[in-house]
């Protein structure tokens, strides 16, 4: 599933290519995604130019003169830069064709992604307005997490995966950040000190930044007729390593299900 680093890598990959281009046509082959693709999308976008390509949480925001195209990659979606005329496949659901013959293609085998439009201020959109802070922003810190956690009995792993608390901390990154911070994933969010939250916020930022760096920003992952973006081969310390030695102390890593998600941790290093 594309997480925040993959979405940010996608943004950095496509932005230099499509920013400033004018839209000639929008081709919708399959409108039944997570939410229906607007029927009038082609008419709405025809002739407009892409002013910027931004990201909020896992949503890509393609801004134009008249509004914003909101794209979510869902569980299996990807965006690729192609050239007009290249044949489409079974799961290529939406194309943005630009006047210079550049083609931005949305592919989504499982159709849990979304391509939506708003003419209103985008950050007031129902999908965006109640989201928590960006973990890569300068104003994200442990004090915010600590304040929100007061009297909460929610396990800390579930707490930091709540997009109303902080966006973009998916299952992989929650496991990794908690391990680096030395915090047991089952510990109640309200029982963690401010100092430990400061360390956790720093670790969340670090694991996400490392994933983005490993993903790179080159176009070769996006200018690809047949494949999907490879994103990155990340060096994970705990996720997917249940039963293997802890990279710090050598003890076997424990694996449990927490809120239905695989959760791996070290009983010795995390408390």
């Amino acid at each position: 599933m594309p997480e925040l680093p993959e979405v940010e890598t996608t943004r950095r990959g496509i932005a230099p290519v499509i920013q400033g281009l004018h839209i000639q046509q929008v081709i919708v082959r399959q409108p039944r995604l997570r939410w229906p693709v607007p029927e009038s999308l082609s008419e709405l976008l025809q002739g407009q130019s892409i002013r910027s390509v931004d990201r909020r949480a896992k949503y890509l925001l393609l801004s134009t003169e008249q509004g914003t195209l909101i794209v979510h990659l869902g569980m299996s979606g990807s965006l690729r830069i192609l050239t007009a005329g290249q044949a489409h496949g079974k799961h290529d659901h939406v194309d943005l064709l630009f006047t210079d013959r550049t083609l931005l293609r949305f592919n989504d085998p499982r159709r849990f992604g979304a391509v939506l439009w708003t003419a209103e201020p985008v950050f007031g959109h129902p999908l965006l307005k109640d989201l928590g802070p960006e973990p890569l922003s300068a104003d994200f810190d442990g004090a915010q997490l600590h304040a929100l956690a007061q009297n909460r009995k929610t396990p800390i792993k579930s707490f930091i995966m709540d997009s109303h608390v902080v966006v973009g901390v998916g299952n992989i990154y929650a496991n990794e950040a908690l391990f680096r911070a030395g915090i047991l994933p089952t510990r109640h969010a309200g029982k963690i000190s401010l100092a430990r939250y400061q360390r956790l916020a720093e670790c969340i930022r670090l694991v996400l930044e490392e994933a983005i760096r490993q993903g790179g920003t080159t176009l070769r992952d996006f200018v690809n007729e047949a494949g999907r973006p490879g994103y990155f081969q990340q060096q994970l310390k705990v996720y997917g390593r249940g039963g293997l030695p802890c990279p710090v102390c050598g003890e076997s890593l424990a694996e449990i299900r927490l809120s239905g998600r695989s959760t791996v941790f070290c009983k010795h290093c995390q408390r």
Side-chain angles (χ1 to χ4, degrees), residues 65-192:
E65 300 93 327
Q66 302 298 322
T68 306
L69 191 68
I70 302 172
V71 179
H72 194 286
L73 300 179
M75 298 181 70
S76 60
S78 64
L79 288 170
R80 287 174 291 164
I81 300 291
L82 305 171
T83 303
Q86 290 188 242
H88 65 272
K90 177 180 179 181
H91 304 298
D92 293 331
H93 303 314
V94 180
D95 286 353
L96 264 65
L97 176 63
F98 297 94
T99 53
D100 72 343
R101 296 185 57 76
T102 296
L103 182 68
L104 180 66
R105 176 163 286 168
F106 176 73
N107 175 285
D108 186 6
R110 299 187 68 179
R111 288 175 27 203
F112 283 115
V115 177
L116 302 171
W117 169 260
T118 181
E120 303 298 323
V122 68
F123 295 114
H125 191 277
L127 292 173
L128 304 180
K129 65 183 182 68
D130 295 323
L131 292 175
E134 289 282 336
L136 302 179
S137 64
D139 58 354
F140 172 69
D141 61 18
Q144 292 177 314
L145 295 177
H146 185 258
L148 289 172
Q150 295 307 296
N151 302 314
R152 296 281 293 271
K153 295 182 178 180
T154 307
I156 182 61
K157 179 168 176 271
S158 302
F159 178 70
I160 62 174
M161 289 180 65
D162 182 346
S163 63
H164 296 94
V165 173
V166 56
V167 301
V169 186
N171 191 41
I172 293 174
Y173 305 109
N175 278 275
E176 295 295 307
L178 288 167
F179 175 74
R180 293 194 187 199
I183 299 174
L184 201 63
T186 53
R187 183 169 292 281
H188 289 175
K191 297 293 185 180
I192 297 172

Side-chain angles (χ1 to χ4, degrees), residues 195-208:
R196 298 191 81 196
Y197 267 118
Q198 294 285 21
R199 173 61 179 159
L200 178 57
E202 178 185 355
C203 290
I204 288 172
R205 181 180 291 109
L206 284 173
V207 297
L208 293 173

Side-chain angles (χ1 to χ4, degrees), residues 211-268:
I212 292 169
R213 283 198 300 272
Q214 290 170 7
T217 57
T218 64
L219 292 177
R220 65 173 174 267
D221 283 338
F222 301 93
V223 184
N224 185 341
E225 179 179 358
R228 293 167 50 78
Y231 299 128
F232 52 85
Q233 295 295 320
Q234 192 177 3
Q235 299 299 313
L236 302 174
K237 297 183 183 301
V238 291
Y239 182 81
R241 300 188 69 247
L244 296 177
C246 170
V248 174
C249 71
E251 295 290 328
S252 293
L253 294 170
E255 182 169 4
I256 62 173
R257 302 291 291 182
L258 186 62
S259 301
R261 311 298 292 274
S262 174
T263 303
V264 184
F265 59 96
C266 178
K267 295 178 181 179
H268 181 263

